[in-house]
Amino acid sequence: MSTPEPAALPATGAPASPDARAEIVVDLDAIRDNVATLRARVGDAAMMTVVKADGYGHGLVESGRAARAGGADWLGTAVIEEALALRAAGDTGPILTWLTVPGEDYTRPVEAGVDLTAYTVREVDEIAAAARALGVRARVQLKVDTGLSRGGATAEDWPALVAAAADAEQVGALRVTGIWSHFACSDEPDHPANDAQEKAFVHALQVVDAVGIEPEVRHLSNSAGALLRPWSSYDLVRCGIAAYGLSPAPDVVTSAELGLVPAMTVRARLALVKHVPAGASVSYGHGWTAPRDTFLGLVPAGYGDGVPRHASSTAHVLAGGRQRQVAGRVCMDQLVLDLGDDELAAGDPVVLFGSGRDGAPTAQDWAEACGTISYEIVTRIGGRFVRRHVSKELRNA
Ligand SMILES: *Cc1c(COP(=O)(O)O)cnc(C)c1O
């Protein structure tokens, strides 16, 4: 991490910037504390905080800094550009990245000391060529597909990948720093796939052992694995969603039960409040009709800002101290709330979702209303929302 500079961030709990039409407030102290909480839970395993996809919508660099402050030994990103952005922002710690296409420029990540993941012999060859051209050893982790059937080498292709990596290590082109895999069903702890995948992982590790490769880290678990299968942690766990304060397995355990605090609050100000009579129908398609005379509040945020259209007539928003239902369809730029008898004023603040501590819904509540997972709610929100990072203690270095 770079040296802290004087604080340049408003304190947590500061009122919404009075003029903001619609903003995303990210509590960096919550991310830091969630990482520390997770770290304490997983015992001896090292902690990787996954900050891909702009830190699940919370900000790549800011989330990475907060995670390091909470004790993250590693940061994880999907693509190389994300890892290089962390380096450009001054992060000097271990970073793993895991998704490339043929012909990517491996020179920059190898130079930057970023761990790359190889799924295939071709990738090992391309990375080794970049390392030889630079005259350095690349840091490469090998991924085995133990049953997710997504990235990684199949069991059939695994021995050839391991052999190619061992050869490249022998000639000094790279060092195999890790062996890893990824669960398909870790949010369902009783699913038989979990044990089957772990068995396949153990077998893959034996293949690695047999050729004399000694990786620094062996790892299998994401947030749900880390929390619900602690015996599967090996040397390292890769926690994404839990670091942002959301439960990876909401059917099993809530974020509050895990001691985690959702870090993202999405808020806006009412653009307009009006009174309509019983029978008035609201928004496109007239999908919602007022059952009684009621006040309606217009919120200046819509699917153009990542508010799911599936929230139409189902999700709730905190306004005037109570949760109000979205009335009718979410539009591109706006949505309407049913305020009942409460005549709120244009300009009044509303909270779409937040920490859950002030009576507002959480991203998990929105996920349930929209038939998705909290990951998608926080990662997709954006558009014209202004994002602001707050912290009592972390510095905006
Ligand atoms: C996204 C991702 C993670 C983090 O998963 P969470 O469920 O958010 O903890 C871990 N490992 C890999 C390979 C991933 O792609």
Side-chain angles (χ1 to χ4, degrees):
M1 277 189 76
S2 50
T3 324
E5 295 291 321
L9 294 169
T12 303
S17 13
D19 299 330
R21 183 178 58 241
E23 65 173 1
I24 298 168
V25 183
V26 177
D27 180 353
L28 295 177
D29 295 343
I31 295 176
R32 177 201 56 197
D33 294 348
N34 290 333
V35 171
T37 299
L38 291 166
R39 207 168 187 286
R41 257 185 183 266
V42 300
D44 291 339
M47 173 61 60
M48 176 187 293
T49 301
V50 180
V51 294
K52 64 191 180 188
D54 203 18
Y56 291 42
H58 296 69
L60 169 74
V61 167
E62 295 87 350
S63 299
R65 261 185 213 134
R68 293 289 194 199
D73 306 287
W74 288 75
L75 298 179
T77 70
V79 301
I80 289 171
E81 292 89 329
E82 294 169 319
L84 293 177
L86 291 168
R87 284 283 186 256
D91 192 288
T92 56
I95 300 176
L96 174 65
T97 178
W98 52 74
L99 189 61
T100 59
V101 294
E104 292 223 19
D105 176 12
Y106 289 112
T107 308
R108 293 175 65 210
V110 169
E111 241 178 342
V114 169
D115 283 46
L116 295 157
T117 298
Y119 302 164
T120 62
V121 173
R122 174 188 54 73
E123 283 170 289
V124 167
D125 291 345
E126 287 187 28
I127 296 166
R132 272 194 298 269
L134 287 167
V136 300
R137 265 183 198 263
R139 295 177 54 88
V140 179
Q141 304 205 12
L142 306 180
K143 183 176 184 193
V144 58
D145 175 8
T146 52
L148 177 62
S149 303
R150 202 176 68 177
T154 60
E156 191 187 343
D157 294 338
W158 182 243
L161 175 62
V162 171
D167 289 349
E169 188 169 77
Q170 206 83 55
V171 301
L174 57 80
R175 166 153 174 65
V176 178
T177 52
I179 303 293
W180 65 278
S181 191
H182 194 44
F183 281 124
C185 306
S186 55
D187 58 335
E188 299 173 58
D190 298 330
H191 198 294
N194 295 314
D195 287 341
Q197 283 196 260
E198 183 152 5
K199 208 169 152 209
F201 188 58
V202 168
H203 184 257
L205 289 174
Q206 287 163 356
V207 173
V208 171
D209 266 354
V211 299
I213 289 175
E214 289 177 16
E216 292 168 18
V217 285
R218 302 158 301 154
H219 47 111
L220 180 56
S221 283
N222 52 4
S223 294
L227 293 165
L228 304 175
R229 288 180 65 92
W231 60 91
S232 304
S233 291
Y234 296 88
D235 304 311
L236 170 74
V237 293
R238 305 183 306 267
C239 291
I241 197 71
Y244 304 100
L246 295 161
S247 173
D251 293 341
V252 181
V253 62
T254 66
S255 64
E257 286 164 352
L258 292 166
L260 303 173
V261 178
M264 180 187 287
T265 296
V266 176
R267 62 190 359 157
R269 294 170 67 218
L270 291 175
L272 178 72
V273 174
K274 66 172 68 169
H275 192 254
V276 297
S281 292
V282 176
S283 194
Y284 292 130
H286 276 181
W288 185 88
T289 299
R292 45 176 159 62
D293 292 4
T294 193
F295 286 98
L296 298 176
L298 183 65
V299 177
Y303 62 79
D305 308 295
V307 177
R309 193 165 172 275
H310 283 94
S312 300
S313 296
T314 161
H316 287 75
V317 171
L318 180 70
R322 284 181 43 198
Q323 290 195 13
R324 321 282 180 165
Q325 198 187 65
V326 174
R329 282 198 199 147
V330 172
C331 309
M332 189 180 290
D333 319 302
Q334 39 200 316
L335 60 88
V336 178
L337 299 178
D338 176 20
L339 301 177
D341 294 332
D342 297 330
E343 185 175 8
L344 303 186
D348 281 356
V350 304
V351 179
L352 282 74
F353 56 85
S355 69
R357 291 179 162 184
D358 56 0
T362 61
Q364 178 57 36
D365 293 326
W366 270 68
E368 284 166 25
C370 299
T372 183
I373 54 177
S374 64
Y375 298 66
E376 187 178 8
I377 298 294
V378 291
T379 304
R380 292 183 76 167
I381 205 90
R384 291 156 292 189
F385 281 106
V386 174
R387 193 172 60 200
R388 196 157 64 90
H389 291 94
V390 297
S391 169
K392 281 202 186 83
E393 286 138 42
L394 291 174
R395 306 301 162 106
N396 193 8

